[in-house]
Amino acid sequence: MCARCGTRAEGPQPTWTFSVEDGARRHYCEACSRDNLRAIEGRLDAQWW
Ligand SMILES: [Zn+2]
């Protein structure tokens, strides 16, 4: 289930983005992945550096 728009998916979705945020596993659908890509990368950068 997409953590952003709530889209449900049946079975594994290889095109979805998997992200661990605050210890919680979250998946984002293809559309939300594009919107969140920079935000996710920005968060990772903030955590690592
Ligand atoms: Zn979504």
Side-chain angles (χ1 to χ4, degrees), residues 2 5 29 32:
C2 179
C5 70
C29 69
C32 291

Side-chain angles (χ1 to χ4, degrees), residues 1-7 16 27-33:
M1 186 170 173
C2 179
R4 187 162 182 254
C5 70
T7 297
W16 284 33
H27 291 81
Y28 295 96
C29 69
E30 209 167 349
C32 291
S33 296

Side-chain angles (χ1 to χ4, degrees), residues 13-49:
Q13 299 292 324
T15 59
W16 284 33
T17 297
F18 172 73
S19 175
V20 178
E21 300 175 0
D22 298 328
R25 292 180 296 173
R26 296 180 182 180
H27 291 81
Y28 295 96
C29 69
E30 209 167 349
C32 291
S33 296
R34 293 196 205 95
D35 292 340
N36 275 349
L37 190 58
R38 291 182 181 178
I40 292 173
E41 289 179 344
R43 251 194 311 267
L44 288 175
D45 286 344
Q47 287 177 349
W48 284 103
W49 302 106

